[in-house]
Amino acid sequence: MSERQAAVTIRRGRGPLRAVVLVLHGGAEHGRATVHPWRLAYLRMVPIAKSLHRATARHGVEVRLLRNRVRGWNAPGLDAVRDARWALDGIRAEHPGVPVVLVGHSMGGRVALRVADDPAVAGVCALAPWTPAGEPVAAVRDRAVLIAHGTKDLITSPADSYTFGSRAETVASRIARFEVSDEGHAMLRRSPVWTRLVCAFTLDTLGLPPSDGMLTGMWTRPIAERLRIPL
């Protein structure tokens, strides 16, 4: 790691540990500014992390919210990817053999899809992900993947996430993509819908009892339907 250190907020589960959820925030294509706790991209994921904890803590699931060192993706160094791998290394060191679910928004969604090849990762939930043309799909091989994108998102492209999902379908163990109507990039207009999706996918991926029937029958739909599920 560089002179600046990424930070992780940990919300412990109850009883024996069964799994960990790692939550990744958004950022920018370029940027060396420090990610302070009051930065909006980070704050956007705080309520999602808290909701995940409420939904899963009783099952022994721990939720970790990563705060990156700097705000940018910063190719070719890929600072955000390096921070996520650092966080995953920490999880595996502390909890060897425990499955991990990744939840990421915007740039954090791209990061999650990139680091899904970590051996601990069981699934990825990418919210309004930044998936530019040519984004590699190999990392999600044999992983469960859920993508959700607002139909009015002007920051990251819903068309690009559809294209990514179409390509990833050939390698993922299972994949679905939701189109959240009347919703933009910030996930604020219909925030309960995003939260329900994240919690439902996490429980489903870990084989835990569902909180509701939101995902019932989703994985068995034809792929053409599964990549354009309206919400």
Side-chain angles (χ1 to χ4, degrees), residues 44 150-154 180-194:
R44 188 167 288 125
T151 58
K152 293 185 176 181
D153 195 327
L154 301 178
V180 186
S181 63
D182 195 35
E183 180 61 285
H185 188 68
M187 307 186 297
L188 295 175
R189 291 176 184 154
R190 304 182 62 199
S191 56
V193 170
W194 298 91

Side-chain angles (χ1 to χ4, degrees), residues 112-127:
L113 294 165
R114 282 285 184 104
V115 303
D117 56 358
D118 185 282
V121 173
V124 179
C125 183
L127 308 173

Side-chain angles (χ1 to χ4, degrees), residues 128-139:
W130 173 32
T131 49
E135 182 67 12
V137 300

